[in-house]
C-alpha cells in the first residue's frame, strides 16, 4: 500500500479542486446563469464531473472509500482523546480493536481486513484524515500519583503561602537525591540499510552512584554530595569533584563536593545529617532572615539533631505532598533531565577514551560529575534551569495554578473502576481492583532507555500497606545466624505482624521475579529492610523491576523448612 501518494510529473490533474468551487459552479448551473459546458470551461472542472454531480450521480469522495462514516470516525477519535485526557491513553492497536468490535457488532465483514481487524495503515490514515491525534512518548506515573487531587494541591499551597511569606528567592531551597548510572543509554548511528541487529560495542554495567543535589529559587546550586556503595571511603575517590563554578563560589562552599559511603549506596539518616551540617547549613547561616528547605517526606530525611538545628537557625522544613513530587519537586521537573542528558554525553566520551575499562572507577567518578555540571552550563545555564524549576512548580513566584492546570480534568473517572480497554474489547477476564500495566513490546512504543532512580523507602508502620513490594531479612540455620535477603509482597497485616509472599528471581541480575505460592511467612517490621518501587507485571505473570535488586541474597532451601523469629 502506498502510504504517501505522490503525483508523477506531467500526469493529468485529478480532483485538483475544492468542494466549494464545485458547489459554486453547480449553483450557477441550477440558477440558469451558465450551462454545464460553460461552467466546465470557466471553473476548469471536467464536463463529466459537473454532469454527474448535477444529476445526482457519483457523489462520493474521489479515491478509495472509507470503511466507516465520517460521524463514526469522529466518535472514535473523540473516545481516544477522552481516554488520553483521563491519563489512560490508547495505542494504535487499541484503536484498531475498537474498530473491529464496531464492525463485528454490526455484522460487517471487510474482506481487506484480516480477521476483520483493521491494519496499522488504517489506524495511521484515520489519524491523518482527522489531524487531531498524534503519537507521543508518555511518562508513566503510578496509580497513587494519578490520584493526586486539586484538594491536596490546594492544601499544600495554603501551607506554602504562609511559610514563604516575605521570603526572598535566595532563601528558598529544594533538595533531592538521584543516581548516575554506568550506562550511556541508546544513541542513533548510521548502518547499512537492512541491518537487523545494529549494535555498538561499549562496556557498561548496571551500577549507579547516588548524589544529593540542592538548589535555590535564585539559581544557586550547592556543591553535590556523593554517596558511594561501599563500607569504606578512600581518599582517591574524593579528588577532582565539583568545586566553585558552576556551583556556589561563596566561602561557605569553598570546600566543594562532599563524599560519603553506605553499604547499600543510597541516602540514609546518617548521610542526610552529614549533608545538612557540612553542606547546607554553612550556606544557610550566611543568609539573613528565615530560610525554607523543601523536600520529600522520607523518614531518612528527618533526625532530632537536624530538626533542633533548624529551629535554632531559623530554617523551616516544607514537605511535598505525598505521591506528587513529579509535579511539585522543582529538581524533578526541570533540573534532573538536563543533568542526565549531560551525564550520558560525558560518560559516552569517557568510555570512548577508556575502551578497556569495564565500568567507571570510583576514583574517576568525581571528575565526570564535574564535567557533567560544566557541560550543562556550556550548553545552557544551571541558574536559569533552577529558576525555571521553581517557577514551573509554582513555588517562586507563588502560583498554585501552575500545578492545578496539570491535573486531570474534573470528569476524571474513578481509577478503581477503570478496566483495560483492550481487555474489555476482547472480552478477556481482568482484575476489577486494578489496572495491570502489561509491558508492550511493539516497536512503535520503544523509547530511549532512561536512567532509573532507585526508589527505596524506609519502612514504617504508617507507609507499609498490603500489596507493597519489600526487601526482608530472613534468618536460616539451626542457630538462626545465617541471614538472607528476599524480595516479597505483603499479603496481610494483622496486629503489626506482616504476612509476606516470597518472590524468586528468574535471572542472574535479579531483575525478573515470580511469586512462589508456597513461600508464605510472617515477619515483624524490624525484618523489613526497604519498600521497593512497584514492578511491572508481564503476561507470563512475572514481575520486572526497573532496576536489578542487587541486595537480594536468596537461599536454596524452601521457605516451608524455616520459621522467622519475630521481635
Amino acid at each position: 500500500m502506498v502510504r504517501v501518494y505522490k503525483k508523477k510529473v506531467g500526469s493529468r490533474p485529478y480532483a485538483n479542486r475544492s468542494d466549494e468551487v464545485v458547489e459554486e459552479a453547480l449553483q450557477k448551473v441550477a440558477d440558469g446563469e451558465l450551462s454545464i459546458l460553460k461552467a466546465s470551461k470557466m471553473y476548469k472542472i471536467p464536463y463529466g464531473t459537473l454532469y454527474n454531480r448535477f444529476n445526482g450521480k457519483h457523489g462520493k469522495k474521489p479515491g478509495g472509500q472509507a470503511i466507516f462514516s465520517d460521524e463514526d470516525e469522529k466518535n472514535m477519535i473523540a473516545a481516544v482523546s477522552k481516554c488520553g485526557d483521563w491519563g489512560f491513553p490508547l495505542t494504535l492497536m487499541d484503536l484498531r480493536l475498537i474498530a473491529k468490535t464496531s464492525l463485528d457488532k454490526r455484522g460487517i465483514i471487510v474482506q481487506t481486513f484480516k480477521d476483520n481487524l483493521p491494519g496499522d495503515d488504517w489506524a495511521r490514515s484515520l489519524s491523518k484524515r482527522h489531524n487531531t491525534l498524534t503519537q507521543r512518548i508518555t511518562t508513566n506515573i503510578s496509580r497513587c500519583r494519578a490520584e493526586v487531587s486539586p484538594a491536596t494541591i490546594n492544601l499544600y499551597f495554603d501551607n506554602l503561602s504562609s511559610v514563604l511569606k516575605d521570603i526572598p528567592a535566595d532563601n528558598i531551597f529544594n533538595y533531592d537525591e538521584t543516581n548516575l548510572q554506568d550506562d550511556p543509554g541508546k544513541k542513533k548511528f548510521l548502518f547499512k540499510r537492512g541491518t537487523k541487529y545494529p549494535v555498538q560495542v561499549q562496556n557498561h554495567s548496571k551500577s549507579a552512584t547516588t548524589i544529593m543535589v540542592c538548589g535555590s529559587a535564585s539559581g544557586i546550586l550547592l556543591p553535590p554530595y556523593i554517596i558511594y556503595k561501599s563500607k569504606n571511603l578512600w581518599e582517591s575517590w574524593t579528588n577532582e569533584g565539583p568545586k566553585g563554578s558552576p556551583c556556589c563560589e561563596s566561602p561557605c562552599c569553598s570546600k566543594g563536593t562532599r563524599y560519603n559511603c553506605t553499604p547499600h549506596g543510597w541516602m540514609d539518616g546518617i548521610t542526610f545529617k552529614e549533608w545538612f551540617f557540612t553542606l547546607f547549613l554553612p550556606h544557610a547561616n550566611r543568609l539573613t532572615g528565615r530560610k525554607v528547605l523543601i523536600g520529600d517526606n522520607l523518614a531518612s530525611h528527618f533526625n532530632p539533631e537536624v530538626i533542633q538545628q533548624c529551629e535554632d537557625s531559623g530554617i523551616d522544613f516544607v514537605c511535598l505532598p505525598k505521591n506528587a513530587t513529579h509535579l511539585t519537586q522543582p529538581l524533578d521537573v526541570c533540573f534532573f533531565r538536563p543533568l542526565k542528558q549531560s551525564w550520558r554525553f560525558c560518560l559516552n566520551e569517557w568510555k570512548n577514551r577508556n575502551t578497556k575499562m569495564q565500568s567507571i572507577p570510583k576514583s574517576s567518578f568525581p571528575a565526570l560529575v564535574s564535567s557533567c555540571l560544566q557541560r550543562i552550563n556550556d550548553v545552557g545555564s544551571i541558574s536559569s534551569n533552577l529558576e525555571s524549576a521553581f517557577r514551573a512548580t509554582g513555588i517562586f513566584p507563588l502560583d498554585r495554578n501552575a500545578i492545578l492546570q496539570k491535573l486531570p480534568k474534573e470528569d476524571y473517572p474513578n481509577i478503581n473502576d477503570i478496566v483495560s480497554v483492550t481487555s474489555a474489547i476482547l472480552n478477556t477476564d481482568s482484575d476489577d481492583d486494578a489496572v495491570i500495566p502489561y509491558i508492550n513490546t511493539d516497536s512503535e512504543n520503544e523509547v530511549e532507555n532512561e536512567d532509573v532512580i532507585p526508589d527505596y523507602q524506609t519502612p514504617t508502620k504508617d507507609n507499609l500497606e498490603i500489596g507493597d513490594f519489600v526487601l526482608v531479612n530472613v534468618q536460616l540455620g539451626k542457630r538462626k545466624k545465617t541471614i538472607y535477603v528476599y524480595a516479597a509482597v505483603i499479603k496481610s497485616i494483622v496486629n503489626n505482624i506482616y504476612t509476606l509472599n516470597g518472590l524468586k528471581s528468574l535471572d542472574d541480575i535479579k531483575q525478573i521475579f515470580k511469586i512462589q505460592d508456597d513461600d508464605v511467612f510472617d515477619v515483624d517490621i524490624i525484618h523489613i529492610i526497604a519498600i521497593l518501587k512497584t514492578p511491572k507485571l508481564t503476561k507470563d505473570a512475572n514481575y520486572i523491576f526497573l532496576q536489578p535488586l542487587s541486595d537480594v541474597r536468596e537461599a536454596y532451601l524452601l521457605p516451608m523448612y524455616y520459621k522467622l523469629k519475630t521481635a
Side-chain angles (χ1 to χ4, degrees):
M1 175 181 175
V2 179
R3 287 164 177 79
V4 180
Y5 178 76
K6 295 181 180 180
K7 291 183 179 181
K8 295 181 179 179
V9 178
S11 61
R12 72 179 182 88
Y14 177 75
N16 191 19
R17 57 190 175 272
S18 64
D19 292 337
E20 291 77 9
V21 173
V22 176
E23 291 299 328
E24 182 181 344
L26 290 174
Q27 186 63 42
K28 290 190 176 183
V29 172
D31 294 341
E33 298 180 17
L34 296 173
S35 65
I36 296 179
L37 182 59
K38 288 183 178 180
S40 172
K41 293 179 179 180
M42 179 181 294
Y43 289 96
K44 296 182 180 180
I45 300 174
Y47 177 86
T49 300
L50 285 179
Y51 179 84
N52 290 330
R53 292 287 296 273
F54 186 75
N55 291 280
K57 300 178 181 179
H58 307 304
K60 297 180 180 179
K61 294 181 179 180
Q65 301 304 306
I67 302 299
F68 296 93
S69 66
D70 190 62
E71 182 180 357
D72 289 340
E73 289 188 350
K74 288 181 178 178
N75 288 336
M76 283 189 281
I77 294 295
V80 172
S81 299
K82 180 61 68 174
C83 290
D85 293 338
W86 285 343
F88 295 93
L90 304 183
T91 64
L92 288 180
M93 185 62 185
D94 292 323
L95 179 58
R96 294 163 59 193
L97 288 171
I98 292 174
K100 172 182 168 56
T101 303
S102 177
L103 293 173
D104 291 343
K105 285 183 178 179
R106 299 178 186 183
I108 301 174
I109 297 178
V110 182
Q111 297 298 332
T112 55
F113 293 164
K114 185 177 181 180
D115 298 329
N116 225 27
L117 176 66
D120 187 70
D121 285 327
W122 174 88
R124 295 182 186 276
S125 297
L126 174 66
S127 175
K128 186 177 180 180
R129 278 197 299 274
H130 293 273
N131 200 29
T132 57
L133 296 180
T134 180
Q135 280 188 296
R136 300 284 299 276
I137 296 176
T138 61
T139 300
N140 295 325
I141 60 173
S142 61
R143 177 186 298 189
C144 54
R145 289 194 170 194
E147 291 176 336
V148 176
S149 64
T152 302
I153 298 300
N154 281 320
L155 184 62
Y156 160 68
F157 272 96
D158 289 342
N159 172 59
L160 198 63
S161 59
S162 61
V163 175
L164 295 183
K165 186 177 181 180
D166 300 328
I167 303 294
D170 289 333
N171 291 18
I172 304 174
F173 297 89
N174 174 230
Y175 67 89
D176 193 18
E177 60 259 37
T178 185
N179 80 318
L180 299 177
Q181 288 188 327
D182 181 24
D183 186 355
K186 296 180 180 179
K187 189 178 180 182
K188 290 184 178 180
F189 292 93
L190 297 176
F191 291 90
K192 180 182 178 181
R193 186 178 296 276
T195 301
K196 289 187 176 181
Y197 305 105
V199 295
Q200 177 193 13
V201 178
Q202 189 178 73
N203 292 325
H204 67 281
S205 68
K206 294 295 183 180
S207 63
T209 303
T210 301
I211 66 170
M212 172 69 95
V213 180
C214 181
S216 72
S218 62
I220 302 298
L221 179 68
L222 272 62
Y225 186 77
I226 298 176
I227 304 171
Y228 296 109
K229 183 179 180 180
S230 175
K231 292 184 179 179
N232 300 297
L233 182 66
W234 298 90
E235 184 179 355
S236 59
W237 301 353
T238 63
N239 297 325
E240 300 182 13
K243 184 177 181 181
S245 179
C247 300
C248 177
E249 301 180 77
S250 301
C252 58
C253 300
S254 59
K255 294 184 178 180
T257 305
R258 295 301 183 103
Y259 307 86
N260 209 328
C261 63
T262 60
H264 41 69
W266 62 82
M267 179 76 66
D268 56 20
I270 297 175
T271 50
F272 181 81
K273 173 187 171 183
E274 182 177 345
W275 169 83
F276 180 84
F277 280 97
T278 60
L279 269 176
F280 177 74
L281 192 60
H283 184 86
N285 287 338
R286 180 180 67 86
L287 305 173
T288 58
R290 290 173 48 247
K291 279 76 68 175
V292 177
L293 188 57
I294 302 173
D296 48 33
N297 56 356
L298 290 181
S300 61
H301 292 169
F302 297 99
N303 179 288
E305 296 180 41
V306 172
I307 295 174
Q308 182 60 47
Q309 186 60 48
C310 287
E311 293 182 2
D312 297 341
S313 303
I315 301 173
D316 292 330
F317 259 110
V318 174
C319 291
L320 297 170
K322 187 178 180 180
N323 301 319
T325 54
H326 63 294
L327 296 172
T328 57
Q329 179 96 272
L331 293 176
D332 275 346
V333 172
C334 289
F335 187 79
F336 282 154
R337 182 177 179 82
L339 174 68
K340 297 298 180 68
Q341 291 174 336
S342 177
W343 168 256
R344 285 193 288 268
F345 179 86
C346 296
L347 180 61
N348 185 66
E349 285 195 335
W350 183 88
K351 286 185 174 293
N352 289 337
R353 294 194 304 267
N354 301 272
T355 55
K356 295 183 179 180
M357 303 294 289
Q358 294 293 327
S359 60
I360 311 173
K362 290 183 173 64
S363 57
S364 300
F365 185 82
L368 272 175
V369 175
S370 182
S371 301
C372 171
L373 293 179
Q374 188 59 52
R375 185 175 186 276
I376 298 177
N377 239 17
D378 294 340
V379 175
S381 171
I382 288 179
S383 178
S384 62
N385 286 351
L386 288 173
E387 292 173 2
S388 299
F390 282 86
R391 182 167 52 253
T393 51
I395 295 176
F396 190 89
L398 196 65
D399 179 18
R400 67 182 67 199
N401 290 326
I403 303 299
L404 291 175
Q405 67 182 1
K406 299 177 184 178
L407 296 180
K409 298 178 181 179
E410 292 298 328
D411 60 346
Y412 190 86
N414 185 351
I415 194 166
N416 293 321
D417 296 336
I418 296 296
V419 180
S420 168
V421 174
T422 305
S423 300
I425 291 173
L426 296 177
N427 296 321
T428 57
D429 294 331
S430 61
D431 187 357
D432 292 335
D433 296 328
V435 178
I436 301 177
Y438 287 123
I439 296 178
N440 193 338
T441 58
D442 275 352
S443 61
E444 67 186 52
N445 291 315
E446 290 181 358
V447 298
E448 182 179 351
N449 181 24
E450 292 286 339
D451 293 333
V452 179
I453 302 174
D455 199 10
Y456 287 22
Q457 297 184 21
T458 302
T460 65
K461 294 181 179 179
D462 295 330
N463 64 3
L464 282 173
E465 299 176 353
I466 296 176
D468 284 348
F469 289 79
V470 297
L471 286 180
V472 58
N473 273 334
V474 175
Q475 299 173 339
L476 295 180
K478 295 182 178 180
R479 298 181 181 179
K480 306 295 183 183
K481 290 186 177 181
T482 304
I483 298 178
Y484 295 89
V485 179
Y486 275 82
V489 60
I490 299 177
K491 291 190 64 176
S492 64
I493 304 174
V494 179
N495 297 328
N496 294 327
I497 298 298
Y498 299 82
T499 301
L500 307 182
N501 202 152
L503 279 72
K504 181 180 179 181
S505 63
L506 301 179
D507 57 349
D508 294 335
I509 63 173
K510 294 182 174 58
Q511 190 169 6
I512 305 176
F513 289 78
K514 71 174 182 179
I515 289 183
Q516 291 289 95
D517 294 333
D518 57 351
D519 188 357
V520 179
F521 51 94
D522 297 336
V523 299
D524 195 283
I525 192 173
I526 62 173
H527 293 100
I528 300 177
I529 305 172
I531 303 175
L532 304 174
K533 193 168 184 178
T534 303
K536 291 184 178 180
L537 179 64
T538 69
K539 293 183 179 180
D540 299 327
N542 296 329
Y543 291 93
I544 299 182
F545 289 86
L546 294 180
Q547 63 172 14
L549 303 182
S550 56
D551 299 296
V552 170
R553 181 175 172 232
E554 297 174 316
Y556 293 100
L557 300 176
L558 291 175
M560 63 180 70
Y561 293 110
Y562 68 85
K563 288 288 184 180
L564 286 174
K565 283 187 177 181
T566 57

